[in-house]
Amino acid sequence: MTRPLLLGCIADDFTGATDLANNLVRAGMQVVQTIGVPEQAAPDADAVVVALKSRTIAPEEAVRQSLHALRWLQAQGCRQFYFKVCSTFDSTPQGNIGPVADALMDALGADFCCVTPAFPENARTVFQGHLFVGDVLLSESGMRNHPLTPMTDANLVRVMQAQSRGRVGLIPHAVVRTGEEGILRRIAQLRGEGVRFAIVDAIGNEDLMALGQALADAPLVVAGSGVAIGLPQNHGLRPSAAAAALPPAIGLRAIVSGSCSTATQQQVKDFIDAGGAAFAIDPLQLVGDGDAVIRAALSWAEPRLAQGPVLVYSTATPDAVRAVQQRVGVQDAGALVEHALAAIGKALVQRGVRQLVVAGGETSGAVVQALGVEQMRIGPQIDPGVPWCFAAATACGADVHLALKSGNFGTPDFFRKSFGRLA
Ligand code: ADP
């Protein structure tokens, strides 16, 4: 008999889903992440994280997809739900955090919900309702220039109020630090005043642990990945290696990198400097004959795979990326490179690679799609936010261990050390 699902999560993007799953695993839950809403029944796990791509789509569509995920999770027996949003609260006055939270609450018959993107371990803290990114206010961080969701107000009570129905209140740190009882009293008071959402302050892990206890009976929480560390304790679960256990790793090893973020540039350089075998993809050659480039990468990789991990990368400096974008267009350059790297990732698996590291959020999405991955069991963390995952029976017919690294995550030696974490 499979165990009951303790927590049903809906994440508004793919790498955010993995980040949440990683935190739940670290706190003792066995977790499966699904890509979109599955058609079949839930796998055996303590929690399921349904990864959507709903952060910046039209609010009505985000609501529709989120409710679809909710109904599937309810059908699996879930009684508590977690809407995972970005730790920088990426949204606009139109949504999508508010409209989705409102719709989930309506569907659950809930009249109150705690909201916090706080994740102190990742330098996201909330104090007096204001979100800090490192030591600056959200509105003074790089997020103020985000192309899709510029965050120009750090006051989350105001930000949430602008995009949701009902009143938004605050559970300040002075209350949070008194612990579970104090938080519960404040929640009762706010509910009595007709408040629908409360932004919750948290500046350290102890705050998230206390909040987690106070949320034991809450039907819904809207949060970044931080609150996840405080929920497994409500089910008697404690951090354990067993929660992160994956089937043994076998097969050949490879790395595919389409991220041009600073951290990834260092990781590529570190791998090459250490003598690793690496093949650079030139995006301009992809314009002419993409298939020829893919074939060249594969014939380079094939004889080298047996000797250890090979790296195929398009990672380049900002200047080089700009030059390509000016020639090809931003969208087309991105799509060309993603398509090529996804095809290479899939072909490497067809050639026996069973341990695959992918660098880049969009690149990871493209590779996972090419492999036909529908769900992944979450395993041990390599670096914060990046766990090893295990996808059984991908569309290539193979079981594959995957590490999907979003741009700026990971230490410089990430590519060299990651395979060791599976051993
Ligand atoms: P990150 O997580 O670092 O943002 P992503 O994979 O999400 O990485 O995004 C990187 C984008 O840049 C992808 O669309 C990818 O195809 C594109 N790209 C990768 N290499 C190059 C390059 N050399 N020139 C232009 N675009 C590139």
Side-chain angles (χ1 to χ4, degrees):
M1 204 185 92
T2 55
R3 72 196 110 165
L5 262 184
L6 304 176
L7 187 65
C9 310
I10 303 166
D12 69 354
D13 91 335
F14 182 84
T15 41
T18 309
D19 183 15
L20 170 61
N22 183 52
N23 272 354
L24 291 169
V25 169
R26 286 199 302 143
M29 279 184 164
Q30 292 192 324
V31 182
V32 168
Q33 174 178 337
T34 70
I35 321 302
V37 182
E39 279 169 16
Q40 68 280 37
D44 183 34
D46 297 314
V48 172
V49 181
V50 177
L52 301 178
K53 209 170 185 298
S54 58
R55 186 169 293 168
T56 54
I57 62 178
E60 312 76 58
E61 182 57 18
V63 164
R64 192 191 66 74
Q65 292 184 15
S66 304
L67 288 175
H68 180 41
L70 177 74
R71 281 189 285 270
W72 181 82
L73 288 164
Q74 284 177 310
Q76 313 312 311
C78 281
R79 294 286 165 266
Q80 185 172 50
F81 304 90
Y82 193 126
F83 175 35
K84 156 71 173 71
V85 300
C86 189
S87 71
T88 42
F89 218 68
D90 298 14
S91 55
T92 72
Q94 284 71 49
N96 289 336
I97 298 175
V100 170
D102 272 322
L104 294 174
M105 285 175 73
D106 289 348
L108 291 167
D111 65 355
F112 184 86
C113 177
C114 285
V115 180
T116 185
F119 187 16
E121 276 180 78
N122 220 3
R124 307 287 189 268
T125 52
V126 180
F127 189 70
Q128 301 295 10
H130 289 67
L131 174 57
F132 290 81
V133 178
D135 55 3
V136 298
L137 283 167
L138 173 68
S139 47
E140 286 162 26
S141 75
M143 282 306 297
R144 71 177 186 276
N145 298 318
H146 192 279
L148 302 175
T149 52
M151 301 303 291
T152 54
D153 188 359
N155 181 330
L156 298 185
V157 175
R158 243 178 351 228
V159 172
M160 188 67 185
Q161 188 71 74
Q163 55 182 287
S164 50
R165 281 188 277 118
R167 278 174 56 207
V168 181
L170 173 69
I171 305 184
H173 188 250
V175 170
V176 174
R177 69 156 188 243
T178 66
E180 180 190 2
E181 298 288 310
I183 298 171
L184 286 171
R185 266 198 305 278
R186 176 74 176 178
I187 289 176
Q189 181 200 343
L190 290 170
R191 281 176 89 161
E193 294 167 4
V195 168
R196 183 169 163 86
F197 293 105
I199 301 295
V200 187
D201 281 357
I203 59 174
N205 276 356
E206 62 286 0
D207 299 329
L208 295 175
M209 297 306 279
L211 177 62
Q213 286 177 325
L215 292 175
D217 297 321
L220 177 69
V221 53
V222 175
S225 64
V227 175
I229 68 170
L231 294 178
Q233 62 181 337
N234 295 332
H235 304 280
L237 296 170
R238 296 282 172 269
S240 76
L246 295 181
I250 51 154
L252 303 172
R253 302 162 163 185
I255 306 158
V256 170
S257 176
S259 160
C260 299
S261 300
T262 317
T264 311
Q265 291 187 51
Q266 287 175 348
Q267 290 153 355
V268 168
K269 179 172 185 309
D270 169 272
F271 183 81
I272 295 172
D273 287 351
F279 183 93
I281 299 283
D282 177 356
L284 291 178
Q285 284 186 349
L286 290 173
V287 183
D289 187 353
D291 287 345
V293 178
I294 295 169
R295 278 196 305 275
L298 292 171
S299 28
W300 168 87
E302 265 174 50
R304 291 175 174 81
L305 278 168
Q307 275 84 58
V310 299
L311 165 65
V312 178
Y313 68 102
S314 67
T315 306
T317 61
D319 285 346
V321 171
R322 254 192 307 276
V324 169
Q325 288 174 335
Q326 270 162 8
R327 293 269 297 272
V328 186
V330 175
Q331 297 293 338
D332 287 355
L336 269 176
V337 175
E338 282 169 38
H339 170 80
L341 292 179
I344 290 167
K346 179 177 174 182
L348 288 171
V349 170
Q350 285 163 338
R351 284 159 179 73
V353 167
R354 296 291 178 269
Q355 303 172 45
L356 182 63
V357 173
V358 186
E362 295 298 325
T363 310
S364 292
V367 169
V368 159
Q369 197 177 16
L371 289 176
V373 172
E374 287 173 4
Q375 49 179 261
M376 314 183 300
R377 188 163 289 279
I378 308 298
Q381 171 175 297
I382 306 165
D383 270 328
V386 199
W388 272 109
C389 306
F390 177 75
T394 58
C396 313
D399 297 350
V400 186
H401 286 80
L402 292 166
L404 307 170
K405 186 193 85 74
S406 86
N408 270 322
F409 284 3
T411 56
D413 60 347
F414 184 89
F415 291 158
R416 282 189 295 134
K417 77 180 179 187
S418 49
F419 297 98
R421 297 290 153 91
L422 261 186

